């Protein structure tokens, strides 16, 4: 049924014959006292401004509330409401207008106007009036009660979190045939801003008895010669504007050079609480390719605080699984890169994985580099570095030995010293060396002999 409806025809002495605005749904109680709402409907082809100030500078459209005490006594005195709510806002032509308790969004619908709670499930009444002409023109009214016996003219209070709703006829028209008593249903779900459609009862088909002899076994494809697919990437926490319920994905890689049928295979996520998705008959992986399966299709929700994914074969065995990840940051993919599971800042659904350092890794590397540079710049570090520097000894000036002098005279080089020399040559060289030594120290030898002779002369004169 459409949400639009034709004008209600009402013929009552002293009241509006063609109500411009009617009451189409009321919820008296929900999970809390403020969870109540009233739905109005504009039956005309023109917008109606409920807050159009009248000649007395007052809001003309009002809702009158009546207490359960008034209703328990039967029809209340409609001219003496318990409380009055002045209305404001515009009701579009052939459209709905929702008035809800403070802070309440019935059915996640944003109300057009808020009011403080004032209805109870015990019983009560509502009356919608227009006073723009100076007279109180009643457009609609109703009563409800849970008291037994129920007062005449009242409707049974609907169950908690449910509502009373006016039903349109087969021509999508809201029609009142008996004055202002409405044709309400009180056993449907709330439908603020729309029309309630009576559920259609579906007849249950008789149970079919299957003859075991007629059971047809569907053969699964022979995958014995093929390598099983591999889980290669997860995106547990998509970055906005992407959403968890649509853009999370699990990626599989088919390492075979032929297509791989996933019929009977299952994707599983979770650690303590598991969620599964079984592939349809026609699901298959292209050869040597990556394929991403999104949450909008699998309905699998991956935890942001830690989880893993598995691929289960047709006999219930896990053939591939990811490592367990911890907290998943926005937009980071948990990917298998170089045979190692790690976070990457570059999700690649459907293609080969690429490592891109995360913001946390970049920050940590920069901090480590800065700390190392700071440590090397300290006075203590400089002193330690200087102490470790190798010391170069200065070459000592050594006086040439006699052998060195002889070697220089004979011009014997290192290479010559390494040669095999004849024994006679060596004896000759030694003799020359002795003669050179006698010549070099001839004065010292002469002085020595002179001292010996002088000493002997002194002793001979002195006697024994």
């Amino acid at each position: 049924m459409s949400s639009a409806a034709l004008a209600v025809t009402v013929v009552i002495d002293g009241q509006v014959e063609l109500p411009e605005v009617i009451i189409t749904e009321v919820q008296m109680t929900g999970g809390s006292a403020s969870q109540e709402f009233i739905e109005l409907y504009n039956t005309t082809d023109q917008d109606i401004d409920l807050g159009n100030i009248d000649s007395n500078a007052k809001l003309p459209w009002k809702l009158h509330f009546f207490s359960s005490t008034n209703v328990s006594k039967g029809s209340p005195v409609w001219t003496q409401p318990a409380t009055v709510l002045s209305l404001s806002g515009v009701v579009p032509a052939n459209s709905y207008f929702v008035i809800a308790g403070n802070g309440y969004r019935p059915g996640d619908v944003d109300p057009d106007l808020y009011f403080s709670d004032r209805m109870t499930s015990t019983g009560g009444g509502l009356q919608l009036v227009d006073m723009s002409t100076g007279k109180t023109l009643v457009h609609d009214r109703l009563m409800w009660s849970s008291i037994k016996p129920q007062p005449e003219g009242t409707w049974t209070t609907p169950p908690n979190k449910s509502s009373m709703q006016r039903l349109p006829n087969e021509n999508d028209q809201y029609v009142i045939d008996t004055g202002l008593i409405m044709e309400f249903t009180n056993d449907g779900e709330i439908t603020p801003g729309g029309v309630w459609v009576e559920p259609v009862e579906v007849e249950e088909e008789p149970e079919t008895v299957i003859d075991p002899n007629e059971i047809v076994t569907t053969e699964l494809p022979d995958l014995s010669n093929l390598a099983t697919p591999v889980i290669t990437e997860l995106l547990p926490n998509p970055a906005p504007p992407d959403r968890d319920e649509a853009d999370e994905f699990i990626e599989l890689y088919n390492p075979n050079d032929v297509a791989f049928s996933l019929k009977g295979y299952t994707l599983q996520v979770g650690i303590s609480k598991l969620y599964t998705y079984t592939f349809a008959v026609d699901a298959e992986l292209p050869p040597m390719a990556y394929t991403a399966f999104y949450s909008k299709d699998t309905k699998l929700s991956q935890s942001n605080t830690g989880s893993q994914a598995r691929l289960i074969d047709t006999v219930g065995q896990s053939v591939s699984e990811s490592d367990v990840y911890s907290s998943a940051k926005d937009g980071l993919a948990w990917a298998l890169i170089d045979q190692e599971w790690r976070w990457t800042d570059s999700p690649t659904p459907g293609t080969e994985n690429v490592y891109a350092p995360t913001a946390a890794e970049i920050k940590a590397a920069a901090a480590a580099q800065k700390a190392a540079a700071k440590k090397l710049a300290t006075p203590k570090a400089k002193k330690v570095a200087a102490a470790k520097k190798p010391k170069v000894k200065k070459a000592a000036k050594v006086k040439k030995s006699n052998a060195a002098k002889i070697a220089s005279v004979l011009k014997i080089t290192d290479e010559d010293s390494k040669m095999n020399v004849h024994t006679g040559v060596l004896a000759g060289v030694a003799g020359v060396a002795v003669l050179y030594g006698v010549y070099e120290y001839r004065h010292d030898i002469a002085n020595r002999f002179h001292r010996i002779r002088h000493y002997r002369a002194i002793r001979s004169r002195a006697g024994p």
Side-chain angles (χ1 to χ4, degrees):
M1 297 182 182
S2 65
S3 60
L6 299 181
V8 178
T9 301
V10 180
V11 181
I12 294 180
D13 293 339
Q15 295 178 334
V16 177
E17 294 184 359
L18 296 176
E20 297 176 347
V21 183
I22 59 175
I23 301 170
T24 52
E25 186 173 3
V26 180
Q27 180 184 14
M28 297 80 181
T29 179
S32 64
S34 62
Q35 290 186 347
E36 54 186 52
F37 75 90
I38 303 164
E39 178 189 77
L40 306 180
Y41 182 76
N42 181 354
T43 65
T44 73
D45 295 328
Q46 302 292 327
D47 294 348
I48 295 178
D49 186 357
L50 301 176
N52 187 17
I53 303 300
D54 62 11
S55 58
N56 296 320
K58 296 181 179 180
L59 296 174
W61 286 86
K62 302 181 186 297
L63 270 174
H64 292 170
F65 292 83
F66 299 87
S67 67
S68 59
T69 303
N70 298 129
V71 173
S72 65
K73 298 176 182 179
S75 181
V77 180
W78 293 107
T79 57
Q80 298 178 7
T83 59
V84 177
L85 174 66
S86 297
L87 303 180
S88 62
V90 176
V91 186
N94 298 311
S95 295
Y96 295 93
F97 188 88
V98 178
I99 308 169
N102 289 329
Y104 181 41
R105 297 178 67 245
D108 290 331
V109 172
D110 291 325
D112 300 289
L113 182 66
Y114 283 107
F115 72 103
S116 58
D117 59 283
R118 57 192 71 189
M119 294 186 289
T120 66
S121 59
T122 305
L126 278 177
Q127 182 173 250
L128 176 65
V129 300
D130 174 19
M131 304 178 66
S132 58
T133 62
K135 298 181 180 180
T136 300
L137 301 178
V138 178
H139 282 248
D140 217 345
R141 64 168 62 127
L142 77 152
M143 296 183 296
W144 66 90
S145 177
S146 61
I147 300 173
K148 302 298 182 181
Q150 195 163 356
E152 184 179 356
T154 63
W155 293 91
T156 302
T157 303
N160 187 30
K161 299 184 180 180
S162 187
S163 67
M164 294 198 310
Q165 303 188 41
R166 182 193 297 235
L167 297 179
N169 62 15
E170 63 275 6
N171 297 319
D172 286 350
Q173 295 175 320
Y174 287 123
V175 178
I176 301 175
D177 296 327
T178 55
L180 296 182
I181 298 177
M182 294 193 259
E183 299 298 327
F184 273 88
T185 176
N186 60 12
D187 58 355
E189 296 180 354
I190 62 173
T191 59
V195 175
W196 181 77
V197 179
E198 186 174 5
V200 179
E201 293 185 2
V202 180
E203 294 184 1
E204 295 184 1
E205 296 183 0
E207 183 178 355
T208 303
V209 179
I210 301 175
D211 185 353
N213 297 323
E214 297 180 356
I215 296 177
V216 179
T217 303
T218 303
E219 294 185 0
L220 295 174
D222 183 12
L223 305 176
S224 58
N225 296 325
L226 298 180
T228 55
V230 180
I231 297 177
T232 52
E233 187 175 1
L234 313 176
L235 183 64
N237 188 12
D242 291 345
R243 298 174 295 117
D244 290 350
E245 61 270 21
D247 301 297
E248 291 184 3
F249 69 80
I250 300 173
E251 181 187 75
L252 298 179
Y253 175 69
N254 177 13
N256 304 285
D257 55 5
V258 295
F260 189 98
S261 174
L262 290 172
K263 179 182 178 181
Y265 276 65
T266 299
L267 277 178
Q268 184 184 83
V269 297
I271 299 177
S272 58
K273 190 173 184 180
L274 305 178
Y275 302 90
T276 59
Y277 168 77
T278 302
F279 289 99
V281 175
D282 57 350
E284 67 175 21
L285 297 174
M288 308 293 288
Y290 297 84
T291 304
F293 297 92
Y294 287 87
S295 55
K296 63 182 177 182
D297 302 314
T298 64
K299 309 304 179 185
L300 291 177
S301 177
Q302 303 177 55
S303 173
N304 293 347
T305 57
S307 186
Q308 69 177 146
R310 304 172 193 83
L311 180 63
I312 311 297
D313 65 10
T314 56
V315 295
Q317 297 296 319
S318 175
V319 294
S320 178
E321 60 183 38
S322 72
D323 282 358
V324 177
Y325 62 83
S326 55
S327 178
K329 304 299 182 183
D330 286 357
L332 296 187
W334 184 238
L336 183 63
I337 302 174
D338 295 333
Q339 303 303 313
E340 179 185 357
W341 282 95
R342 62 193 308 177
W343 291 111
T344 175
D345 198 28
S346 179
T348 55
T351 60
E352 186 176 358
N353 296 337
V354 176
Y355 172 67
T358 65
E361 291 173 333
I362 295 174
K363 184 177 180 180
Q369 184 178 7
K370 183 177 180 181
K374 184 177 180 181
K375 185 176 180 181
L376 291 175
T378 61
K380 183 177 180 180
K382 292 180 179 179
K383 185 176 181 180
V384 172
K388 292 182 178 181
K389 186 175 180 181
K391 296 181 179 180
V392 180
K393 295 182 179 181
K394 295 183 179 180
K397 294 182 180 180
V398 182
K399 184 177 181 180
K400 287 185 178 181
S401 64
N402 294 331
K405 291 180 180 180
I406 295 171
S408 64
V409 172
L410 296 178
K411 298 181 179 178
I412 298 176
T413 64
D414 292 339
E415 292 297 326
D416 294 332
S417 64
K418 295 178 182 178
M419 297 173 60
N420 293 326
V421 184
H422 192 274
T423 306
V425 175
L426 291 175
V429 172
V432 172
V434 171
L435 293 176
Y436 180 80
V438 172
Y439 172 78
E440 182 71 19
Y441 295 97
R442 63 185 182 277
H443 298 291
D444 295 335
I445 295 172
N447 290 333
R448 181 67 175 171
F449 278 112
H450 178 73
R451 289 178 182 176
I452 292 173
R453 289 176 61 189
H454 180 69
Y455 175 72
R456 286 181 175 177
I458 293 174
R459 290 187 64 184
S460 63
R461 287 196 295 268

